[in-house]
Amino acid sequence: RFVFNITMSWKDRCFGSSTTKNQHSKINPFGLNPHGNDAPLLFVFDFDLTILRVHSFGSRIKVEDVDKRWKNDVADEDFFKQFLVYAQSAGARVAVASFGEYPVIQKYMDRIMPGMFTRASICTPSCVGGRDGSTVAAGKVPMIEWLLVHFIGKSESELGSELSRRVALFDDQADNIQRALLAGYLACHTPHAFTRKAWPLIINQFPRHIRL
């Protein structure tokens, strides 16, 4: 079973300067290039039907329900955890942007990766002036901007094209993807959730220079 444990040997093995490109592509299971000025610094995940295989808000799942069902609800727990390790080893951060309810999302994330996700890295509509459980008119764009300021620590004056191209959104809703793309962000449609099986289709949506 996969264990969340980032060590120097893992980092050296995946990202050491002596690693050739061919070797890198074999030992980096995601095929993304962690080097260069355009390497993503923030990966933002939708929650329902992306991290989860179910729609927690639509199913009216409560905080007290999570403990008994979270293992079955996560689309691909091991693969998601491996991606979290990859992202941190590459110097990137990972956050959640969801129209759902914060307490439920936090409970799930505490079970998936204890201690890694906090209010600062989980943006819901109440963070941007809305009500949890409702959509945001501009989609995930204002939520990504909120994460860049409150989670990454950027100032509002820094938001723009230079920063946008280093943020990647994974979302099952095509309209959220289109809005993010129009705002200059990287965005990958995940209609079949974030899983190992779906990854070849997901990675092909990244610009070629970011892939190995």
Side-chain angles (χ1 to χ4, degrees):
R1 185 154 184 86
F2 185 81
V3 178
F4 179 61
N5 181 19
I6 300 177
T7 65
M8 284 305 296
S9 61
W10 168 268
K11 291 182 180 179
D12 291 343
R13 185 157 54 86
C14 287
F15 307 112
S17 59
S18 62
T19 304
T20 67
K21 184 173 182 179
N22 288 339
Q23 288 172 325
H24 191 171
S25 63
K26 290 178 181 178
I27 61 181
N28 175 352
F30 299 99
L32 292 173
N33 184 359
H35 304 294
N37 294 331
D38 288 337
L41 60 80
L42 176 64
F43 293 100
V44 180
F45 282 82
D46 172 49
F47 186 65
D48 289 329
L49 302 178
T50 299
I51 295 174
L52 299 190
R53 70 175 81 251
V54 300
H55 199 291
S56 65
F57 182 77
S59 300
R60 298 298 186 264
I61 295 171
K62 303 299 183 186
V63 170
E64 56 268 26
D65 300 328
V66 174
D67 280 341
K68 64 176 179 275
R69 61 176 298 153
W70 74 271
K71 282 262 182 199
N72 290 327
D73 289 350
V74 179
D76 193 331
E77 180 191 353
D78 286 348
F79 189 67
F80 181 57
K81 286 181 176 179
Q82 288 173 20
F83 188 86
L84 296 180
V85 172
Y86 162 79
Q88 287 200 339
S89 295
R93 309 284 290 279
V94 181
V96 174
S98 171
F99 298 148
E101 295 182 325
Y102 166 69
V104 174
I105 297 169
Q106 183 70 70
K107 184 74 169 183
Y108 272 103
M109 300 314 294
D110 285 345
R111 293 296 172 265
I112 296 169
M113 193 66 80
M116 182 172 179
F117 291 86
T118 67
R119 190 45 167 143
S121 58
I122 300 174
C123 184
T124 55
S126 59
C127 295
V128 292
R131 179 175 55 84
D132 284 5
S134 62
T135 58
V136 175
K140 297 296 173 70
V141 172
M143 304 176 83
I144 294 172
E145 292 174 347
W146 186 92
L147 287 164
L148 285 169
V149 172
H150 293 88
F151 179 46
I152 301 300
K154 300 294 183 180
S155 66
E156 292 189 6
S157 64
E158 292 179 279
L159 303 181
S161 60
E162 292 297 317
L163 186 60
S164 298
R165 67 187 187 190
R166 299 193 62 194
V167 178
L169 171 69
F170 300 107
D171 200 298
D172 70 289
Q173 293 294 313
D175 54 343
N176 290 331
I177 294 297
Q178 288 303 314
R179 288 189 178 101
L181 289 171
L182 288 173
Y185 297 106
L186 303 174
C188 299
H189 194 205
T190 58
H192 307 294
F194 189 83
T195 65
R196 188 183 308 276
K197 183 178 180 180
W199 182 248
L201 297 177
I202 296 172
I203 190 175
N204 282 336
Q205 299 174 63
F206 279 97
R208 185 67 189 87
H209 68 277
I210 292 177
R211 292 179 273 144
L212 291 173

